[in-house]
Amino acid sequence: MSILEENEHLEELDRKYIWHPFTQMKEWTEETPVVISEGRECFIKDIYGRWYLDGVSSLWVNIFGHRKKEIDDAIKKQLDSIAHSTLLGLSNVPAIKLAERLVQIVQMSLRGQKTNSAFLFGNPPIPPLVKGGKGGLCKVFYSDNGSTAVEVALKMAFQYWRHKGIEGRNCFLSLNNAYHGDTIGAVSVGGVDIFHKAFGPLLFKTYKAPSPYCYRCEFDKKYPDCKLACLSGMEEIFKAYGYEIAALIIEPLIQAAGGMITSPPGYLKGVRELCTKYNILMIVDEVATGFGRTGKMFACEHEGVVPDIICLSKGITGGYMPLAVTIATEEIYSAFLGEFKDLKTFFHGHSYTGNPLACAAAIACLDLFDKEKVLEGLKFKIEILETWLKDVLNLRHTGDVRNAGLMAGVEMVKDKNTKEPYDWAEKMGWRVAYQAQDKGVFIRPLGNVIVIMPPLAISDQNLNQLLRVIKEAIVAVTEE
Ligand SMILES: *Cc1c(COP(=O)(O)O)cnc(C)c1O
């Protein structure tokens, strides 16, 4: 077979055998799929040798670019020891070392101290725990993707109250426009109609708090005159139904998949205060925001918030391997302690829990955060991005621009004065993405919101290139 024939054969096999996620397969099979065969730094290459800038960090996971030597080496080295062993009834070396590192970095970060995970194994000791939601995150439960990290958190929170002898806390509070993953529990606490409504009859009961979506405020108010009406809306639910609620779950600072919706200053802190006031556990889903995306190691740092449970995944291995953790406080963990016969065990676990290869990659990643001073290096890139966003806001069909660090969204509207959105079926976001793809930039929109989410290690030059192409594509599609 010639190379061309081989490539066409691959495309044929893709159409024949793969069912792609979040994809209308009728459309997909009518087009030619882009098949990726290689990556280098912030670029990915297809089988025809065309390079694309990876503007979505390979779906929000990549941090240091592709083929990062230190992560490659860590995985290869681990491969020479063992690829996988279980945490059910056994432990393994990388899982242990990573758990310690994660607890240290979470505790340091969420206490407002300098983020520095460069400790030798076991030294210095973790600072003493402060209970009651303050710095007490210390028990690491492994799983392998963001949705399972959320499932684990929900089940932990639910059982916590049972074990404390408190009945009736059978539901959760989540937000409109929330996205926490695609498994049924995660969908139950989701609030994006297009993804979630179809499964309505299968979902468990949740209360939905207003989304802190200033551009399309549910109360028709303006920040700061609104005095955070969305928070008052949440408090009303706590007041009326708090006794039924096991936990609140929230994406801190930015509702990502819901459309890059950033919350106004003070909102997240206010949510923490409400949870404390009404004695509701606070679960933060930092699956998207964790590991530097928002400019700090964790989004909660921006408002000095310490949750009761934190979910981490996407960037944890630098975008190399599927891995997730749910980290709980000592208070929650200890509620599960008891005699074997008490059945207080946390009955949950996955086949690939604590996979050694993935944990080795994650350790290499944390080393890189220290070595390459990633967080410090972000400041200038965020400035570039914010300057560009201000510029793009002047375009005829840009309704709103939003960002939390290096995660950004441009909301395109049909009519800027009335904020009338483009009809979803017009696929405006996709049309912009296809334009950009023709110019060597791969992005993936969320409806009418153009998402900008490059690897954190992107060079200033490549970032400028990414932004230039995206702006051209928006202009070409909306002002044609
Ligand atoms: C992506 C995402 C998830 C789900 O993670 P998967 O690994 O895709 O299951 C959960 N929560 C948030 C905030 C996410 O962005």
Side-chain angles (χ1 to χ4, degrees):
M1 254 196 277
S2 73
I3 287 177
L4 183 63
E5 282 168 339
E6 212 171 288
N7 286 348
E8 283 171 354
H9 185 54
L10 276 171
E11 290 160 5
E12 197 48 46
L13 293 180
D14 175 282
R15 291 193 197 93
K16 193 167 172 195
Y17 291 115
I18 298 188
W19 190 344
H20 287 265
F22 279 100
T23 303
Q24 176 42 259
M25 291 308 292
K26 180 174 175 292
E27 279 181 4
W28 178 272
T29 49
E30 285 163 5
E31 310 250 330
T32 307
V34 177
V35 182
I36 297 302
S37 59
E38 206 182 313
R40 250 324 126 91
E41 294 174 1
C42 296
F43 291 85
I44 46 179
K45 189 179 91 175
D46 72 14
I47 48 177
Y48 294 98
R50 289 178 295 227
W51 288 92
Y52 304 85
L53 239 180
D54 186 357
V56 291
S57 299
S58 292
L59 226 77
W60 310 3
V61 296
N62 194 285
I63 300 222
F64 300 101
H66 300 278
R67 301 285 316 275
K68 183 75 182 168
K69 186 172 186 317
E70 289 83 349
I71 310 178
D72 289 359
D73 288 348
I75 293 172
K76 287 176 192 161
K77 187 160 172 254
Q78 180 57 37
L79 208 44
D80 284 335
S81 302
I82 187 168
H84 182 64
S85 162
T86 181
L87 286 190
L88 283 83
L90 294 171
S91 197
N92 74 64
V93 177
I96 293 170
K97 291 186 178 177
L98 177 61
E100 188 202 28
R101 289 286 294 274
L102 285 171
V103 168
Q104 282 168 343
I105 201 160
V106 163
Q107 293 212 353
M108 296 292 276
S109 303
L110 298 189
R111 284 167 170 210
Q113 295 174 26
K114 189 176 158 289
T115 298
N116 178 8
S117 68
F119 292 126
L120 293 174
F121 180 45
N123 182 39
I126 301 162
L129 302 177
V130 186
K131 281 199 183 168
K134 271 216 173 354
L137 292 163
C138 62
K139 297 292 176 182
V140 178
F141 194 97
Y142 282 107
S143 62
D144 43 36
N145 64 72
S147 307
T148 53
V150 166
E151 298 287 338
V152 167
L154 297 175
K155 286 171 78 176
M156 267 179 188
F158 172 80
Q159 271 201 312
Y160 166 78
W161 295 107
R162 301 272 156 144
H163 293 336
K164 297 292 269 190
I166 294 167
E167 298 286 325
R169 296 225 182 194
N170 293 338
C171 58
F172 293 89
L173 177 58
S174 58
L175 271 65
N176 291 334
N177 292 319
Y179 177 82
H180 297 290
D182 292 331
T183 51
I184 291 296
V187 170
S188 295
V189 291
V192 183
D193 278 353
I194 277 173
F195 303 161
H196 299 147
K197 228 178 187 155
F199 303 102
L202 296 181
L203 308 179
F204 57 67
K205 183 173 161 188
T206 56
Y207 290 102
K208 293 280 189 275
S211 169
Y213 190 177
C214 294
Y215 180 64
R216 297 187 187 280
C217 177
E218 292 177 33
F219 304 91
D220 238 343
K221 295 191 173 177
K222 269 205 158 45
Y223 181 82
D225 294 340
C226 63
K227 302 209 172 66
L228 296 174
C230 44
L231 261 187
S232 313
M234 179 180 279
E235 178 155 22
E236 276 164 31
I237 298 172
F238 275 139
K239 259 192 206 148
Y241 308 107
Y243 63 95
E244 283 181 57
I245 297 172
L248 164 134
I249 179 162
I250 187 168
E251 296 160 87
L253 229 57
I254 179 165
Q255 294 189 292
M260 295 296 170
I261 299 163
T262 48
S263 56
Y267 175 80
L268 183 63
K269 196 162 186 288
V271 172
R272 170 71 262 186
E273 285 162 9
L274 288 180
C275 287
T276 305
K277 182 173 168 190
Y278 291 94
N279 197 22
I280 309 275
L281 296 176
M282 181 183 193
I283 302 170
V284 300
D285 175 354
E286 291 233 23
V287 168
T289 51
F291 301 100
R293 282 288 161 199
T294 66
K296 292 186 185 288
M297 200 61 172
F298 303 107
C300 283
E301 280 176 66
H302 291 273
E303 302 213 349
V305 161
V306 182
D308 299 291
I309 301 180
I310 190 169
C311 305
L312 301 170
S313 181
K314 292 199 168 101
I316 192 169
T317 61
Y320 265 63
M321 312 270 303
L323 182 73
V325 292
T326 306
I327 310 181
T329 56
E330 181 69 32
E331 163 66 18
I332 292 172
Y333 169 81
S334 60
F336 288 76
L337 301 178
E339 299 304 321
F340 186 71
K341 62 172 171 30
D342 296 343
L343 292 177
K344 283 189 169 181
T345 304
F346 187 47
F347 292 107
H348 189 108
H350 298 280
S351 312
Y352 283 99
T353 292
N355 173 260
L357 287 177
C359 291
I363 293 168
C365 234
L366 290 178
D367 288 340
L368 282 169
F369 264 98
D370 292 332
K371 195 178 119 195
E372 305 200 339
K373 307 231 177 308
V374 179
L375 297 176
E376 288 88 328
L378 283 180
K379 290 198 182 77
F380 188 59
K381 291 176 209 178
I382 294 169
E383 263 176 53
I384 293 177
L385 176 61
E386 289 178 346
T387 306
W388 180 84
L389 287 170
K390 277 199 200 105
D391 174 40
V392 164
L393 186 56
N394 295 322
L395 294 178
R396 224 181 301 162
H397 291 278
T398 303
D400 193 23
V401 295
R402 306 180 279 269
N403 78 300
L406 222 49
M407 307 169 73
V410 175
E411 181 166 343
M412 302 184 299
V413 289
K414 192 165 177 183
D415 186 327
K416 219 166 152 161
N417 293 320
T418 62
K419 302 186 182 180
E420 183 193 348
Y422 284 107
D423 184 355
W424 199 72
E426 275 190 75
K427 297 182 73 177
M428 290 305 273
W430 279 110
R431 282 159 63 186
V432 172
Y434 294 142
Q435 281 273 338
Q437 195 169 310
D438 285 342
K439 299 198 169 98
V441 162
F442 182 73
I443 51 173
R444 191 182 162 84
L446 292 160
N448 293 325
V449 177
I450 301 302
V451 176
I452 298 117
M453 180 90 95
L456 301 187
I458 192 169
S459 67
D460 298 349
Q461 191 196 351
N462 289 155
L463 179 60
N464 279 313
Q465 178 190 354
L466 174 77
L467 298 175
R468 181 175 47 75
V469 169
I470 295 175
K471 183 181 168 190
E472 283 169 11
I474 294 174
V475 171
V477 170
T478 60
E479 301 187 8
E480 66 193 353

